[in-house]
Amino acid sequence: MLLLRLSAQDLLTLNSRRRMLPHLAARYRYFRGRDVSDTEREAWAESLVELAEDLVEAERGNVEMVVECAATVDEPKKGEPPLIDVVLVGRHPETRLPSFQLVELKRWSMVTRVEAATAELVRVPGYKKPKKHPALQLRHTYQLFTGDQGPLRGITVECGGFAYLHNATDDSVRPLLDTLAPTGAYERVYTQDSRGLLLADLRRHFAEDGGASEAEQLLRFMNLRNTPLLDAMIRSRGEDTVFTLRGQQKRVAASVLQRAALVLGNPDEPAPPPDDGRAVFIVTGGAGTGKSAVGLQLRADFEAAGHTVKYASGSRAFNGALQEQVGYTDKEFRKRFAYFSHFVTPPDPPLDVLICDEAHRVRERTIDMYQREEKSGKQPQVDDLLDASRLTVFFLDESQSVRPKEVGTASLIEGAARARGITPLRYGLREEWRCGGSDAYIRWVRAVLDIEAGTTEWTPDGLMHVEVADSPEELEYIIRTEAEAGATARMVAGFCWPWTEPVGKGKAARLEADVRIGDWHRPWNAKGDSFRENGAVPPSTKWSVHPYGINQIGCVYTAQGLEWDWCGVILGDDMVRRGDRWVYRKGQWREDPESKVKRVKVPGSFDMKLREGKGSEEEKEEEFARCVRHAYHVLMTRASRATVLYSTDEETQVYLKSRVGDVQIHGLRPTWENLPAEARIPHLPSPKRKGHDTTPGQELLF
């Protein structure tokens, strides 16, 4: 848990815009599941601002303030994690080590001693029960923060703490200061009278240049900066331990493995009859909650235990990027991975385990695209998947279903399992690991797109960055600059332009610049599995990771399931803002008389698959709108650090700018140049493999 991470001067700027309290309250509600009290809101408004102003006066405005963070990395087994009001983060001016100060903020103006012999408990006006000396609270949280379960475990740092009673005088809280009070490096108490000493101590503990690098280190120690999925797979080569699972991820994986032991038994012993025991797990979670991380880790664990297991997906882009980056040969990949459509004929004997990622992409039934009826399904595709194994795990996010015939829902899977006499076990993942760990950004995207209720005004939180470019040229400049500097970055767009087949044959075929906005023209990513333009254009399955992919525009079908540091998202005319609502539009094309290429005649969606809905016209329109919203939800949640938006519609552009607001807050734009050295982690190269079809001299992006 962490509510906010900003430098002191940025926190004051945010507060001056009246956006600090709403942001903190929304984050608190998300983590705690209840509204914050008025007393707590008043404390934030007063105490956080007071501390930030003191830091600025001490010429330490660049020191980072991490507000309301958990003292331990993992949640405790019982109760809520103990919280630290503020962790100040910077660099020590003498040792140059990371410097941390844990702060307990109190608005108390007076205390009296409960017992003459001790100052451990005091009475505070307005509270019925005695309160602990704040130094004792600090002692406890300090021990947790630096202990075996804390983010600073095993790290050499400068670390201390203090309580700040900015409304009190020394005389009014004398029991907290006299010789009976607890003492120690992390047990100092400051009041109005000792404010000068506080400012001096802030200068003594922190260098003037601030703590962006140290704050980034802390986020990593707190597991708020995730390892990109493909990097983790490359590091492990897909074997053994793939990911360090966290929080809810751990609990889900442990439950699946525990249940599997009952259903599957020992792989060295003869297998029981196919109907002897089956299990179905349904794991739901939004973008970036780690569904694929859990699934891939389970695949590695089951395979290591000797079970027959396959990892299936409905996404060619995800599977293609995974094969390319990890370096699997075609044979190795087919042994471990599959598509949902591969199970029309069930394996004999059934697999021990089938892991179905992106299960929201499950179709009504498998249809062979080449009309080979014997390879088309005779029953719902979900039943094909359930027939294929004794234990099936489905991972899905219903808000990422982007086509009418994608019918994968938790209720559909649950019904199919119950029809077989299986009671499915259902889990939900809520903790966000993509988008910088910013659940606030995920909720903002969903609110802006009208997927769920919430605030549509973006508040910078120090975890994720969002901005609106003034033109496609500016958007491309930002994305290219970051890619050239060393970040991973891609441009994507709504399906609002025709998609021309390559002109010519084979690898020499040329892509048409279909995406046209004024004088700015760029091609979609290539179709198929072959390089184009003599190696200058990667196939769709490698577009997301190949360096030349920066020259093409991706769509929801080539971006789903993947992530980059920066993502530029072009919103087309399929979804435009009119007044207080979104309007959804279908496009029409015309044929250019000279080139014979299709061009936009009526702006809107050119995704023909979205026009295949069933039911009444009203139902079809509702389904069309839902799919368009979900497509942009996918595109806007691909970045781990920053999203850059641009709309081709003027009124929508104005709306987006009003929702994002002024982003020029000191130090928050996470460009590669602005990132501290600790955050500039290069992505791992793809292993060399036999049969690699990348053109010589074209190394992969990461």
Side-chain angles (χ1 to χ4, degrees):
M1 175 171 171
L2 180 153
L3 298 192
L4 186 68
R5 170 237 163 160
L6 290 177
S7 70
Q9 59 188 352
D10 288 340
L11 185 142
L12 293 176
T13 301
L14 194 65
N15 184 62
S16 69
R17 297 177 186 170
R18 299 183 180 180
R19 293 167 76 171
M20 181 185 78
L21 286 182
H23 170 79
L24 291 173
R27 293 274 286 177
Y28 184 96
R29 187 183 309 112
Y30 177 81
F31 284 111
R32 294 301 205 193
R34 62 180 185 272
D35 288 332
V36 67
S37 67
D38 291 340
T39 301
E40 187 71 13
R41 291 175 69 99
E42 292 168 2
W44 287 336
E46 185 179 334
S47 300
L48 289 176
V49 171
E50 188 84 22
L51 179 60
E53 288 176 342
D54 289 342
L55 283 160
V56 170
E57 186 168 337
E59 299 180 337
R60 296 300 182 267
N62 289 330
V63 168
E64 302 275 333
M65 297 176 64
V66 177
V67 179
E68 296 271 4
C69 76
T72 56
V73 173
D74 290 324
E75 294 182 8
K77 294 182 179 179
K78 293 183 178 180
E80 296 175 338
L83 299 180
I84 305 169
D85 287 346
V86 181
V87 178
L88 300 180
V89 185
R91 186 179 298 113
H92 197 276
E94 295 179 1
T95 66
R96 305 306 289 175
L97 288 171
S99 182
F100 302 89
Q101 289 290 308
L102 282 56
V103 184
E104 188 71 29
L105 294 170
K106 299 295 184 186
R107 299 165 67 214
W108 304 344
S109 57
M110 185 179 73
V111 304
T112 56
R113 182 174 292 129
V114 173
E115 299 178 19
T118 179
E120 290 188 357
L121 291 176
V122 295
R123 295 195 183 278
V124 182
Y127 293 90
K128 294 181 179 180
K129 296 181 178 180
K131 308 295 287 186
K132 276 188 178 181
H133 192 298
L136 296 178
Q137 292 178 267
L138 278 170
R139 177 188 295 173
H140 177 61
T141 54
Y142 177 91
Q143 290 169 346
L144 291 173
F145 202 66
T146 59
D148 292 341
Q149 299 300 314
L152 298 187
R153 59 192 180 280
I155 307 297
T156 302
V157 297
E158 301 281 353
C159 189
F162 61 88
Y164 189 20
L165 286 73
H166 51 83
N167 289 332
T169 64
D170 286 355
D171 286 340
S172 67
V173 293
R174 182 60 60 186
L176 302 180
L177 305 172
D178 63 19
T179 55
L180 297 177
T183 59
Y186 42 85
E187 296 170 349
R188 289 164 285 128
V189 177
Y190 300 103
T191 69
Q192 290 178 9
D193 293 339
S194 54
R195 183 169 179 269
L197 178 60
L198 168 62
L199 300 185
D201 283 347
L202 290 173
R203 298 185 189 102
R204 183 166 59 87
H205 288 295
F206 297 108
E208 188 175 352
D209 50 359
S213 294
E214 290 71 24
E216 187 65 32
Q217 285 180 319
L218 180 61
L219 293 183
R220 292 194 177 278
F221 297 154
M222 295 173 72
N223 288 337
L224 285 175
R225 294 298 194 201
N226 69 311
T227 300
L229 184 143
L230 293 178
D231 276 7
M233 288 294 289
I234 292 170
R235 184 173 292 115
S236 69
R237 186 55 168 73
E239 314 293 343
D240 305 320
T241 299
V242 179
F243 296 94
T244 301
L245 300 183
R246 309 153 183 168
Q248 295 167 324
Q249 298 173 349
K250 281 184 179 179
R251 290 190 286 276
V252 170
S255 180
V256 173
L257 292 171
Q258 184 178 23
R259 175 65 176 165
L262 300 176
V263 175
L264 303 177
N266 190 330
D268 295 330
E269 297 176 359
D275 59 353
D276 189 45
R278 301 248 174 169
V280 173
F281 293 85
I282 303 171
V283 184
T284 60
T289 51
K291 299 183 296 297
S292 296
V294 176
L296 289 165
Q297 181 63 59
L298 285 173
R299 187 208 64 77
D301 289 341
F302 281 125
E303 188 173 89
H307 294 296
T308 57
V309 56
K310 278 204 173 182
Y311 191 95
S313 170
S315 171
R316 293 184 71 252
F318 178 80
N319 275 10
L322 189 64
Q323 178 177 6
E324 183 61 31
Q325 286 307 100
V326 178
Y328 289 121
T329 64
D330 290 342
K331 183 178 180 180
E332 289 173 332
F333 193 79
R334 285 193 298 269
K335 179 181 177 182
R336 293 174 170 86
F337 297 89
Y339 294 100
F340 297 157
S341 58
H342 289 171
F343 297 98
V344 170
T345 301
D348 186 17
L351 297 167
D352 291 334
V353 182
L354 177 62
I355 298 171
C356 300
D357 200 357
E358 305 260 338
H360 44 268
R361 302 200 68 178
V362 166
R363 274 53 166 188
E364 292 175 333
R365 73 181 182 99
T366 299
I367 304 294
D368 185 79
M369 62 182 298
Y370 299 107
Q371 306 302 313
R372 289 179 291 187
E373 189 59 31
E374 70 275 9
K375 290 193 175 183
S376 293
K378 305 298 188 295
Q379 62 180 350
Q381 193 174 73
V382 65
D383 289 316
D384 292 342
L385 300 174
L386 290 171
D387 285 343
S389 65
R390 295 164 58 200
L391 187 148
T392 316
V393 189
F394 294 92
F395 293 90
L396 70 152
D397 174 9
E398 293 179 18
S399 64
Q400 292 195 51
S401 175
V402 295
R403 281 185 171 178
K405 291 186 178 181
E406 292 178 353
V407 298
T409 63
S411 60
L412 173 83
I413 298 166
E414 193 170 58
R418 290 187 183 280
R420 296 161 178 264
I422 305 170
T423 300
L425 299 180
R426 189 165 171 177
Y427 297 90
L429 296 173
R430 291 179 65 249
E431 299 164 315
E432 307 291 348
W433 304 107
R434 192 183 293 145
C435 301
S438 175
D439 63 274
Y441 174 75
I442 300 291
R443 287 184 283 111
W444 176 79
V445 169
R446 296 174 69 83
V448 164
L449 297 177
D450 282 351
I451 293 175
E452 64 182 32
T455 178
T456 60
E457 189 176 60
W458 168 242
T459 298
D461 62 357
L463 299 176
M464 182 65 184
H465 176 77
V466 58
E467 61 184 88
V468 181
D470 289 326
S471 66
E473 289 87 355
E474 182 185 12
L475 181 144
E476 181 177 24
Y477 174 79
I478 293 170
I479 297 303
R480 281 188 179 276
T481 298
E482 292 308 304
E484 291 168 1
T488 56
R490 280 295 179 269
M491 293 179 287
V492 296
F495 200 159
C496 298
W497 294 267
W499 202 316
T500 305
E501 292 293 330
V503 179
K505 295 183 179 181
K507 291 187 176 182
R510 176 183 58 82
L511 299 189
E512 179 65 34
D514 287 316
V515 182
R516 307 172 79 84
I517 307 171
D519 294 331
W520 185 83
H521 307 155
R522 292 293 179 271
W524 289 112
N525 61 257
K527 296 181 179 180
D529 300 324
S530 301
F531 279 86
R532 304 296 185 184
E533 298 188 10
N534 296 316
V537 176
S540 61
T541 52
K542 299 178 183 179
W543 165 82
S544 63
V545 294
H546 196 282
Y548 290 176
I550 196 72
N551 299 319
Q552 301 92 43
I553 309 298
C555 72
V556 65
Y557 304 117
T558 46
Q560 196 164 29
L562 301 168
E563 66 178 307
W564 306 279
D565 296 331
W566 283 71
C567 187
V569 182
I570 299 173
L571 286 79
D573 288 277
D574 54 349
M575 188 176 80
V576 296
R577 194 73 179 183
R578 295 294 179 262
D580 62 352
R581 65 190 183 95
W582 290 105
V583 174
Y584 303 90
R585 307 193 302 197
K586 298 174 183 177
Q588 296 179 16
W589 63 69
R590 61 175 175 80
E591 187 177 89
D592 184 275
E594 295 183 5
S595 65
K596 305 299 181 182
V597 172
K598 293 176 182 177
R599 298 289 184 225
V600 174
K601 178 181 179 182
V602 176
S605 172
F606 283 82
D607 190 342
M608 296 299 105
K609 295 293 184 181
L610 301 192
R611 307 188 189 197
E612 299 176 353
K614 296 180 179 179
S616 66
E617 286 303 314
E618 183 179 356
E619 290 172 331
K620 289 181 181 179
E621 290 303 314
E622 288 180 358
E623 182 73 358
F624 172 76
R626 182 190 68 83
C627 289
V628 172
R629 280 197 305 272
H630 286 187
Y632 282 117
H633 175 258
V634 170
L635 297 180
M636 291 170 66
T637 54
R638 295 306 94 195
S640 60
R641 289 194 178 275
T643 298
V644 184
L645 302 173
Y646 171 77
S647 174
T648 55
D649 177 73
E650 184 176 349
E651 193 170 335
T652 307
Q653 182 80 344
V654 170
Y655 174 73
L656 291 174
K657 287 193 171 186
S658 74
R659 299 302 83 199
V660 172
D662 183 5
V663 299
Q664 298 307 315
I665 292 182
H666 173 81
L668 286 189
R669 197 163 183 269
T671 62
W672 194 261
E673 181 180 347
N674 286 349
L675 286 179
E678 289 76 8
R680 298 180 191 171
I681 299 177
H683 294 274
L684 298 176
S686 175
K688 298 290 184 181
R689 67 177 177 87
K690 185 178 180 180
H692 200 293
D693 56 358
T694 301
T695 302
Q698 297 177 2
E699 284 74 20
L700 290 167
L701 182 62
F702 61 88

